[in-house]
Amino acid sequence: QVQLVESGGGLVQPGGSLRLSCAASGFTLDRYAIGWFRQAPGKEREGVSSISGSLSIKRYADSVKGRFTISKDNTKNTVYLQMNSLNPEATAVYYCARARGWIQTLGANDYDYWGQGTQVTVSS
């Protein structure tokens, strides 16, 4: 069955970096887009970045452009989110999700399978 497992979250100081991983099983990454989303307490889920199934076309929210990088390793069936220059506003639970098709979007409604999430806390 389809499964997504996030890892790599934790506590980091402002200005620091983290790399999140999303290990996928039950399907192959070349057929489906994968997105990263985050949800802070009291806020709606926000699309952060996504990568298409084929061609690895990437998309970023304006709030993270230039600081976050999405990538994937098809041999490991894993998607990564490198997060640099983190600020306290990045504090949230981060989720990876599989899209209904191969086109990358930042809309949560376009995704049908979700991981359990990993907590990222940016604080001094």
Side-chain angles (χ1 to χ4, degrees), residues 34-36 47-52 56-62 64-65 68-70 81 103-107 111:
I34 298 294
W36 282 100
V48 174
S49 182
S50 59
I51 187 166
S52 67
S56 295
I57 299 170
K58 303 170 184 180
R59 186 184 294 264
Y60 297 95
D62 288 343
V64 306
K65 278 180 182 176
F68 289 14
T69 302
I70 192 170
L81 185 68
I103 297 176
Q104 81 291 3
T105 76
L106 295 179
Y111 293 78

Side-chain angles (χ1 to χ4, degrees), residues 5-19:
V5 179
E6 303 96 336
S7 62
L11 174 65
V12 63
Q13 291 187 342
S17 298
L18 280 175
R19 188 178 81 155

Side-chain angles (χ1 to χ4, degrees), residues 5-6 16 51-53 64 74 81 83 87 92 95 102 107 109 112 120 122:
V5 179
E6 303 96 336
I51 187 166
S52 67
V64 306
N74 286 347
L81 185 68
M83 306 186 295
N87 54 44
Y95 302 88
W102 64 268
N109 289 338
D112 53 2
V120 171
V122 184

Side-chain angles (χ1 to χ4, degrees), residues 8-80:
L11 174 65
V12 63
Q13 291 187 342
S17 298
L18 280 175
R19 188 178 81 155
L20 305 183
S21 298
C22 172
S25 59
F27 68 99
T28 56
L29 294 180
D30 59 342
R31 291 181 173 268
Y32 296 91
I34 298 294
W36 282 100
F37 296 80
R38 65 187 179 188
Q39 188 164 20
K43 294 188 176 181
E44 292 187 357
R45 191 166 295 190
E46 171 192 19
V48 174
S49 182
S50 59
I51 187 166
S52 67
S54 62
L55 303 180
S56 295
I57 299 170
K58 303 170 184 180
R59 186 184 294 264
Y60 297 95
D62 288 343
S63 59
V64 306
K65 278 180 182 176
R67 299 185 298 115
F68 289 14
T69 302
I70 192 170
S71 63
K72 64 178 179 178
D73 184 337
N74 286 347
T75 65
K76 297 181 178 178
N77 227 35
T78 300
V79 178
Y80 304 97

